Amino acid sequence: MKRDSGIASTLICGDLPEITGTDFATEVLQIIREALNNVRKHSKASRVSITLEVMDQTLEIGIQDDGSGFPFSGNYSLDELDLLRLGPRSIKRRIRTLGGELTLESKPSNGAGLKIRIPT
């Protein structure tokens, strides 16, 4: 990420179970990939951190940047984002397909964060 975009990145990964379903793994990878691509393209961030851990049979993914944030402020659930027609569409679609939850936090001029929970 640093080499391609100039954005420093940190990955913190707890113990993850072996994932046997390739569809699940592919969808999770695509969610993370798209989130990082959005950070690169839109955020004007200098740093991004990614966390992955499993708690209570749920994969928890956190992606936080120090960029410009979204043009709106606050914490929004997946349902709220859909109702307001805000947020990254394909990420929301993938999370719904996996039966997961999303919270998007935006602090204009102070970054944005995604908290994703997906049952394993």
Side-chain angles (χ1 to χ4, degrees):
M1 183 90 176
K2 175 89 171 164
R3 183 190 67 214
D4 294 339
S5 67
I7 301 171
S9 60
T10 304
L11 172 64
I12 300 168
C13 188
D15 290 333
L16 299 177
E18 183 178 332
I19 297 173
T20 56
T22 57
D23 290 342
F24 179 85
T26 299
E27 290 296 313
V28 168
L29 177 61
Q30 286 303 107
I31 289 167
I32 295 169
R33 216 182 246 170
E34 182 168 341
L36 292 177
N37 190 48
N38 288 344
V39 168
R40 184 182 58 78
K41 285 173 54 177
H42 304 295
S43 75
K44 301 178 183 129
S46 61
R47 295 172 23 115
V48 63
S49 66
I50 305 101
T51 59
L52 295 165
E53 63 182 324
V54 173
M55 296 182 67
D56 301 323
Q57 298 184 356
T58 300
L59 175 62
E60 297 189 5
I61 304 167
I63 301 169
Q64 183 75 41
D65 70 58
D66 67 352
S68 58
F70 288 85
F72 51 88
S73 181
N75 292 318
Y76 298 88
S77 70
L78 187 54
D79 290 336
E80 291 169 326
L81 290 169
D82 282 344
L83 184 65
L84 297 169
R85 298 179 187 209
L86 297 172
R89 277 182 290 222
S90 71
I91 290 175
K92 294 187 306 183
R93 180 180 38 78
R94 289 179 193 281
I95 292 168
R96 278 207 190 282
T97 299
L98 294 171
E101 301 171 4
L102 166 71
T103 302
L104 182 146
E105 178 185 12
S106 175
K107 298 176 276 184
S109 302
N110 288 309
L114 296 176
K115 292 181 182 169
I116 301 163
R117 298 183 48 142
I118 302 169
T120 53

